[in-house]
């Protein structure tokens, strides 16, 4: 009897413990429990301590309210240009209504995956490969809009859809790599050509500026040289007129200039007749007489009018004497062509004495007696 009572007490205690355990439900944060009473939805348990009717209320599902991330396996998709590409997608969603997520659809994860695949095929099927590779943002927005509209009645909010990878066939990848390599080589060639063009342009501009600067420097140098020569000539001219040189000095300078005139490249043959010495003696005498008449002493001051008149007179006398000498030279040429014996006189011309060339006076100004 005592054993029966003990067993009964143990059973009652176990039943009480079980009832207490089944009547108390602790829900963690960010989770919602759907409770059914006798198979019918009763309420949703919020996080914290909740009491249930034991053996009557039961928890149908435990729904995680946090945002979840699901990565779907690669799916083959055909583009508009009949190329099969493999696309990996990543889906971000969260449950906003645990009751709908429990009763509106049996398995919302599988439903979301299939909906993503079908929507992706519809979107990619209207695009070619190049546009599909460059329009990821557009594809993501379209997928997010379609999935959000469909899953809204399931109590699920699709927050973001991302395409992780688009893998074209190996042959297409090789062609794309070759195309990209050719495009990069083309750009490199264009850049090299542009650089060469710019270098040639800069070089030409530099040479142009250098030529302009060299020409300007040459012009300045010529101008300075001309100014220097003009100043030197003006200085020499003023010095000559200020010094008032004698006619003997001018005659001597004229005799020194004759060899330089004879050394010209255009002077091939010089015919010196015997009468030329007499002409030179006469020219020297005339210059000597002019010197004795005018005076051979340099003047300290120069009268510009007198100098000008003297220069005109000397130029006229020199022109007349040159005409006379030219006439005598022509006569001598005619005589030589008529009498061959006269050529002997040309081989040994009579030297001109310095005293006769300078007007029959020595360097000290004393007159010498005329030759017979």
């Amino acid at each position: 009897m005592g054993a029966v009572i003990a067993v009964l007490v143990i059973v009652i205690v176990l039943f009480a413990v079980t009832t207490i355990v089944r009547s108390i439900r602790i829900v963690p944060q960010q989770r919602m429990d759907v409770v059914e009473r006798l198979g019918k939805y009763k309420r949703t348990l919020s996080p914290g301590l909740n009491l249930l009717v034991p053996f009557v209320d039961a928890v149908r599902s435990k729904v995680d309210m946090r945002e979840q991330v699901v990565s779907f396996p690669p799916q083959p998709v055909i583009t508009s240009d009949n190329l099969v590409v493999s696309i990996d997608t990543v889906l971000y969603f969260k449950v906003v209504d645990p009751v709908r997520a429990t009763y509106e659809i049996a398995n919302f994860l599988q439903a979301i995956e299939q909906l993503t695949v079908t929507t992706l095929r519809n979107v990619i099927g209207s695009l070619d490969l190049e546009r599909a590779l460059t329009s990821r943002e557009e594809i993501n927005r379209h997928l997010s809009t379609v999935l959000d509209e469909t899953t809204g009645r399931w109590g699920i909010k699709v927050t973001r859809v991302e395409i992780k990878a688009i893998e074209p066939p190996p042959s297409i990848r090789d062609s794309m790599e070759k195309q990209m390599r050719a495009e990069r080589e083309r750009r490199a060639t264009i850049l090299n050509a542009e650089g060469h063009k710019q270098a040639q342009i800069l070089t030409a501009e530099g040479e142009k500026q250098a030529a302009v600067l060299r020409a300007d420097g040459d012009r300045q140098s010529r101008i300075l040289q001309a100014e220097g020569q003009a100043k030197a000539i003006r200085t020499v001219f003023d010095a000559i007129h200020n010094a008032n040189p004698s006619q003997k000095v001018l005659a001597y300078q004229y005799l020194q200039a004759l060899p330089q005139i004879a050394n010209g490249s255009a002077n091939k043959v010089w015919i010196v007749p015997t009468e030329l010495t007499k002409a030179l003696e006469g020219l020297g005498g005339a210059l000597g007489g002019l010197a004795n008449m005018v005076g051979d002493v340099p003047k300290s001051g120069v009268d510009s009018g007198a100098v000008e008149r003297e220069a005109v007179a000397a130029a006229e006398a020199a022109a007349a004497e040159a005409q006379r000498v030219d006439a005598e030279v022509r006569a001598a040429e005619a005589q030589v062509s008529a009498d061959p014996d006269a050529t002997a006189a040309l081989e040994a011309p009579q030297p001109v004495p310095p005293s006769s060339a300078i007007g029959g006076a020595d360097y000290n100004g004393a007159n010498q007696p005329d030759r017979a």
Side-chain angles (χ1 to χ4, degrees):
M1 188 67 176
V4 174
I5 294 172
V7 172
L8 184 59
V9 171
I10 292 172
V11 171
I12 293 171
V13 171
L14 291 176
F15 179 77
V17 171
T18 303
T19 301
I20 294 172
V21 170
R22 292 178 65 90
S23 62
I24 298 175
R25 176 69 62 176
I26 299 176
V27 181
Q29 185 68 29
Q30 291 295 329
R31 199 184 78 178
M32 303 291 286
D33 293 350
V34 178
V35 178
E36 293 180 350
R37 178 172 292 178
L38 300 177
K40 183 180 180 181
Y41 171 74
K42 177 63 178 175
R43 62 192 177 100
T44 302
L45 300 181
S46 60
L49 180 62
N50 296 275
L51 298 177
L52 300 176
V53 178
F55 306 107
V56 176
D57 295 340
V59 176
R60 169 67 184 272
S61 62
K62 300 175 181 180
V63 182
D64 193 351
M65 303 300 293
R66 296 174 296 178
E67 186 173 3
Q68 303 180 36
V69 181
V70 179
S71 178
F72 301 129
Q75 299 293 331
V77 181
I78 300 176
T79 60
S80 61
D81 49 356
N82 297 325
L83 292 176
V84 179
V85 294
S86 179
I87 300 179
D88 297 346
T89 55
V90 179
L91 181 65
Y92 297 82
F93 71 95
K94 65 184 299 185
V95 178
V96 294
D97 191 347
V99 178
R100 290 185 179 183
T102 302
Y103 296 103
E104 294 292 336
I105 190 168
N107 189 346
F108 61 84
L109 285 178
Q110 184 179 2
I112 291 174
E113 180 181 359
Q114 295 302 321
L115 182 61
T116 302
V117 171
T118 55
T119 306
L120 189 61
R121 287 179 179 176
N122 293 333
V123 174
I124 298 298
S126 61
L127 303 175
D128 55 2
L129 179 60
E130 293 185 359
R131 189 176 177 186
L133 293 175
T134 58
S135 303
R136 292 194 176 188
E137 292 294 333
E138 181 180 354
I139 296 172
N140 293 336
R141 287 195 302 268
H142 189 74
L143 286 175
S144 179
T145 302
V146 172
L147 291 175
D148 191 41
E149 291 178 356
T150 305
T151 58
R153 64 176 182 269
W154 299 340
I156 297 172
K157 174 66 175 178
V158 177
T159 58
R160 191 177 183 87
V161 180
E162 292 290 342
I163 295 178
K164 185 166 59 175
I166 299 177
E167 296 292 338
S171 59
I172 302 300
R173 287 201 301 268
D174 295 339
S175 300
M176 293 173 63
E177 290 177 359
K178 291 180 181 179
Q179 182 181 1
M180 185 177 296
R181 190 180 302 111
E183 180 67 20
R184 292 184 181 276
E185 290 177 357
R186 183 183 68 85
R187 291 180 182 177
T189 304
I190 292 175
L191 290 177
N192 290 332
E194 289 290 338
H196 186 62
K197 175 183 176 182
Q198 293 295 331
Q200 288 184 345
I201 291 174
L202 293 177
T203 302
E205 290 180 355
E207 292 178 355
K208 175 183 176 182
Q209 294 180 2
V212 171
L213 292 177
R214 283 195 296 268
D216 186 56
D218 190 13
R219 181 177 67 85
Q220 295 292 337
S221 176
R222 289 171 182 258
I223 291 174
L224 293 177
Q225 290 179 0
E227 291 179 354
Q229 291 178 0
K231 186 175 181 180
I233 292 173
R234 186 165 56 251
T235 303
V236 172
F237 183 79
D238 293 340
I240 291 174
H241 283 77
N242 291 330
N244 191 17
S246 64
Q247 297 298 326
K248 292 185 289 183
V249 175
L250 295 177
Y252 182 70
Q253 292 293 330
Y254 174 74
L255 292 177
Q256 285 184 341
L258 287 178
Q260 297 179 0
I261 298 174
N263 288 332
S265 60
N267 300 328
K268 302 300 182 181
V269 179
W270 278 70
I271 300 174
V272 182
T274 56
E275 289 81 359
L276 181 60
T277 58
K278 294 181 180 180
L280 292 176
E281 290 179 359
L283 179 61
L287 293 176
L290 182 61
N292 292 328
M293 291 170 60
V294 175
D296 200 18
V297 180
K299 298 179 180 180
S300 58
V302 177
D303 186 4
S304 59
V307 171
E308 196 170 325
R309 291 190 297 273
E310 181 182 352
V312 172
E316 292 177 353
E321 190 67 23
Q323 291 179 359
R324 187 178 66 79
V325 170
D326 185 38
E328 293 180 357
V329 169
R330 293 181 182 276
E333 289 179 354
Q335 183 181 0
V336 169
S337 60
D339 189 4
D341 295 337
T343 57
L346 297 177
E347 295 179 357
Q350 183 177 0
V352 180
S355 59
S356 299
I358 60 177
D362 58 2
Y363 293 100
N364 295 324
N367 294 329
Q368 298 292 334
D370 296 335
R371 293 183 179 180

